[in-house]
Amino acid sequence: VRVIRSALIGALSLAVSIASFGCGTATQISRIIVAGDSRQLRERPEGAALGSPTRPPILFVALDGVDRDLLYDLLRKGELPHFAELLGGRSATGAFAHAHFDDTLLATLPSSTMAAWPTVLTGKTPAEHGMTGNEYFIREKLRFAAPVPVTFKDSAPTLGIFTSDEYANRLLEVPTVYQRMRERDPDISIWVAMHQIYTGADALLVADRTAFARAFEETLKDAMGSLAGEEKRSRAVYETLDSEVIGVVLDASDHGEVVPDVLTVYLCGTDLYGHIATEGPDEARRSYLKEVVDPQLGKLVDALREHGELERRWVVVTADHGHTQVVEDERHALSTTQKDDPPQVLVQAGFRVRPFQLDVPRDADFQAVLAYQGAMAFVYVADRSTCMEVGKPCNWERAPRYREDVLAAAEAFRSASDEGLGTPGMKGTLDLVLVREPRPFAEDDLPFQVYVGPEEIVPVGPYLAAHPHPDYVAVDERLGDLAVGKHGERAGDVLLIAHNGDRATPDERYYFAAPYQSWHGSPSRKDSEVPFIVANAREPAASIAARVRMVLGATPRQQKVTDMLLSLRFGEDWAEPARIDP
Ligand SMILES: [Zn+2]
């Protein structure tokens, strides 16, 4: 019996609602979770099933900023013993008899948090689901979206992800995997712990918001690139956050009536600490996974086992992106505040640049917008014929002109990087400047091409064939996922890729952000190869491997994780079209 007959949540309150069924009227009582900051997202009528236990349950472990090699190495060496238990155990010889470790899954581009998780949890590409990065411009709405701001310091939108603002959920243009599951299985119970995307779940479990705010704010740099203070570089704030996330899950499952059919647990401390740790991202994340994440997962293993909830549960583990060490100084950080930073390239080319803040007045006068993604940056330009005079707002609903606006901006960045005239700090910083002919925002967008010079624009595939980048992987295909489709214009009219993932040492790498110890976002293997582990204590690894390979197929990219979750839950006929309006 999946119902845990322990006491109801201590802080559980009862709300009464009236619903009509057929010819009669029944009084329905729904329970509202009010423990901590957790929120019940939908009501389950009294008397309705508390879950849907006939189909296999799933635990989805979402890790932030953990690349494949790092996690697999630690697991295979036996350095994450509790994590290994979650995966059905590791034998004395180091083998995982009940887990498949996939070696093919690639992050979406840019390899960053807010492009990745919506892709993982909708099964759609960024050009389809509309969330193209940590921050981006929505030209038809004249709105800068910044679930994780990079060009300015403002924690409000990130904190708003977990409040009733549902800041990230509301940016999605397509249904989530949770909505798709519920459509097929209305009684399914789904809890999400601290993850950004949760539309369609029953409950959002929120760790103490002050712990989250502290961890997040202490990672943010101010405009001058300084942290609150060097003493703040301890990993304690991240440890507190991740242990609170596990804590709120244990509280809810201890005192609740059921362990949900689908439980998503998101741990982001590894990424946040990786960005600032002075010992470098690899050493920092290794010790963090061993000393913080593993013991916390141990508590989760114990709780699930106690409830008899581990045996038949599928466990799926993945991450959003990897990490690449950089040098923490103004020379390598392509920021917004220095006189030869990227905004100045646009200013010197005659563009009026949008200020770096979340909101500006509706009639604000700007002709170009920059959005930073670590190793990449998006540049949006207006049709400047609509706003020649200073003070006149541009008509952003119109697509820019290709030659006069798009290529003008591309040429400014190409010459800044090739020659460094006017902005000497930009010299040698850019690997690729990408452009495409603009389309009206409502139409599907064209693929990016490489801007080599005013008379030379080359498709990405042939360009990379002629200029091999051995550290990059599936660039053309993943740029297509990002930029070709209904919302593809949200990846910019010009896309800049800094020398970063193509370079062997930190001193040769540049990144669009304030100075940090580490960043990501590149098409490199290091940033893009993510772990993907599927485990079930009742299944042999070989049969799990066959299932995974069938779902991932020839294009093992992040959007396939949704397909995997649906197939584990619904079996062979999982691939039914979703018919939900977002
Ligand atoms: Zn990060």
Side-chain angles (χ1 to χ4, degrees), residues 64-65 111-113 134 271-272 275 320-323 518-520:
D64 201 304
S111 45
S112 271
T113 301
N134 283 6
D271 176 72
L272 295 175
H275 278 286
D320 46 359
H321 56 75
H323 255 274
S518 185
W519 246 100
H520 43 83

Side-chain angles (χ1 to χ4, degrees), residues 56 100 314 532 534 536 539-553 563-572 574:
H100 174 64
W314 285 100
F532 188 51
V534 180
N536 186 311
E539 288 248 2
S543 80
I544 301 173
R547 280 170 176 263
V548 173
R549 274 195 286 268
M550 176 113 72
V551 171
L552 294 186
D563 300 350
M564 192 76 233
L565 295 171
L566 291 173
S567 81
L568 294 176
R569 181 80 187 159
F570 299 106
E572 280 172 15
W574 61 272

Side-chain angles (χ1 to χ4, degrees), residues 275-286:
H275 278 286
I276 62 151
T278 47
E279 65 266 40
D282 292 344
E283 194 188 324
R285 291 178 303 154
R286 207 165 261 276

Side-chain angles (χ1 to χ4, degrees), residues 91-324:
S91 75
T93 61
F96 286 83
H98 301 284
H100 174 64
F101 288 50
D102 169 75
D103 283 312
T104 63
L105 191 73
L106 295 176
T108 197
L109 289 180
S111 45
S112 271
T113 301
M114 290 315 306
W117 294 124
T119 305
V120 165
L121 291 169
T122 65
K124 301 294 178 190
T125 64
E128 294 169 312
H129 63 62
M131 297 181 73
T132 53
N134 283 6
E135 55 178 36
Y136 55 95
F137 186 56
I138 306 175
R139 63 189 307 141
E140 72 273 21
K141 294 181 183 163
L142 207 58
R143 176 180 180 203
F144 198 77
V148 179
V150 184
T151 50
F152 55 93
K153 177 175 175 168
D154 183 353
S155 57
T158 308
L159 297 178
I161 288 171
F162 302 109
T163 68
S164 56
D165 289 351
E166 303 196 14
Y167 188 80
N169 283 346
R170 284 172 201 232
L171 289 165
L172 274 184
E173 307 280 359
V174 299
T176 65
V177 65
Y178 307 127
Q179 288 172 292
R180 290 170 66 180
M181 285 177 170
R182 186 173 306 289
E183 189 185 48
R184 299 192 55 166
D185 189 4
D187 287 336
I188 192 172
S189 58
I190 303 170
W191 293 0
V192 174
M194 283 307 279
H195 212 197
Q196 294 96 343
I197 301 294
Y198 51 85
T199 307
D202 289 276
L204 174 70
L205 308 183
V206 184
D208 177 5
R209 199 171 292 139
T210 55
F212 180 75
R214 277 194 68 202
F216 190 73
E217 284 172 355
E218 293 195 5
T219 310
L220 287 179
K221 300 265 193 135
D222 64 24
M224 301 314 289
S226 42
L227 290 167
E230 287 305 302
E231 75 282 0
K232 294 283 180 62
R233 280 200 188 202
S234 106
R235 71 177 198 203
V237 287
Y238 312 112
E239 270 183 76
T240 303
L241 172 59
D242 282 345
S243 51
E244 295 240 358
V245 172
I246 296 296
V248 76
V249 173
L250 299 189
D251 274 0
S253 55
D254 263 5
H255 300 131
E257 294 170 86
V258 292
V259 174
D261 300 311
V262 176
L263 171 61
T264 294
V265 177
Y266 174 54
L267 298 175
C268 65
T270 317
D271 176 72
L272 295 175
Y273 185 53
H275 278 286
I276 62 151
T278 47
E279 65 266 40
D282 292 344
E283 194 188 324
R285 291 178 303 154
R286 207 165 261 276
S287 60
Y288 193 91
L289 286 164
K290 276 159 62 175
E291 293 158 21
V292 181
V293 171
D294 192 58
Q296 290 301 330
L297 289 179
K299 294 185 194 171
L300 188 60
V301 170
D302 291 345
L304 288 171
R305 195 173 274 153
E306 201 176 296
H307 293 327
E309 277 292 336
L310 196 52
E311 259 306 277
R312 59 187 282 268
R313 190 166 288 258
W314 285 100
V315 178
V316 178
V317 179
T318 195
D320 46 359
H321 56 75
H323 255 274
T324 297

